[in-house]
Amino acid sequence: SGTIDEQLSQGEMNQFNDKKIHHQKAIAKIDINIAKKNKEAIGAQLQQQTSQMGPQLDQIEKQMYDNKTKLQDLKTQLNQQRREYQDKMDIYYEIEPEQEELKLDAYRGLSAIKDNIDKLSDEINQTQDSITQTNQQRDGMLKQKSQSQAQASTANKAADVAIRDQNNAM
């Protein structure tokens, strides 16, 4: 019921406060260690993600290079076929109508070249689509890498703040 005998003496109160402060400091040290370990884990995780993306990005860059080289070769072939088509077209028109067999052979040659032109045009379109898809894939990976780095930076800052706060509390 609150008599003076039941109350803590100043010395006892100081002892309890000292124990309380000691435990609070111990908890703060544990919190600091946890924050440091979390910070190390964040760094390791970012390192792992980045190292995994490296070979994938290299592969994508190689695909892009190969596709661009292929595209250039296809365009060169297409231009050659167009020139050949035009040259044969000029010859075709020079053939006299009476030379039916020769005119028919020339027409077949023109038709074969036209088929090649159409196939090359289709292949060029497919290669351009592949380049676009590869670019999008690379851009997505670079965006993911950037986001991972930003998240790691934010998490590291939070860990630094937690460490600083715990140090100040001690």
Side-chain angles (χ1 to χ4, degrees):
S1 61
T3 65
I4 292 182
D5 293 338
E6 294 173 354
Q7 292 182 350
L8 291 175
S9 70
Q10 187 61 38
E12 290 173 322
M13 182 63 91
N14 288 342
Q15 279 183 328
F16 283 119
N17 282 335
D18 286 345
K19 281 184 180 180
K20 183 178 169 184
I21 289 170
H22 173 73
H23 290 299
Q24 287 172 339
K25 284 184 178 182
I27 291 170
K29 285 180 184 178
I30 291 170
D31 287 342
I32 289 171
N33 287 334
I34 289 171
K36 285 180 180 178
K37 289 294 183 183
N38 284 340
K39 194 173 172 180
E40 289 172 13
I42 291 165
Q45 184 179 15
L46 179 62
Q47 174 71 27
Q48 183 182 11
Q49 288 174 344
T50 302
S51 67
Q52 288 173 349
M53 283 185 189
Q56 292 172 341
L57 285 171
D58 289 345
Q59 183 180 1
I60 288 172
E61 290 294 334
K62 184 180 179 335
Q63 280 179 320
M64 288 175 60
Y65 175 80
D66 291 346
N67 281 335
K68 287 179 181 180
T69 301
K70 179 181 178 182
L71 182 62
Q72 191 60 42
D73 290 345
L74 290 170
K75 285 181 177 181
T76 299
Q77 290 175 32
L78 180 63
N79 287 334
Q80 289 172 346
Q81 289 290 301
R82 285 179 175 162
R83 282 193 299 275
E84 185 178 346
Y85 184 82
Q86 190 58 49
D87 291 345
K88 296 226 182 219
M89 184 66 83
D90 292 343
I91 293 171
Y92 176 80
Y93 285 121
E94 291 176 4
I95 299 173
E96 297 295 326
E98 301 82 36
Q99 298 175 314
E100 289 179 26
E101 191 66 34
L102 191 57
K103 200 152 184 109
L104 185 59
D105 285 344
Y107 177 78
R108 287 182 188 137
L110 284 170
S111 181
I113 294 171
K114 181 70 170 123
D115 288 345
N116 284 340
I117 289 172
D118 291 344
K119 287 177 187 175
L120 286 169
S121 294
D122 289 344
E123 201 170 344
I124 285 171
N125 289 336
Q126 290 172 355
T127 303
Q128 287 173 328
D129 289 346
S130 179
I131 288 171
T132 300
Q133 290 171 354
T134 306
N135 275 332
Q136 289 172 346
Q137 187 179 9
R138 182 199 62 203
D139 292 348
M141 287 188 73
L142 291 174
K143 182 179 178 183
Q144 180 183 355
K145 183 178 179 180
S146 177
Q147 287 173 340
S148 294
Q149 289 171 335
Q151 289 171 345
S153 176
T154 300
N156 276 332
K157 286 177 186 175
D160 287 340
V161 167
I163 291 169
R164 186 186 68 232
D165 289 348
Q166 290 302 325
N167 279 326
N168 288 340
M170 285 178 19

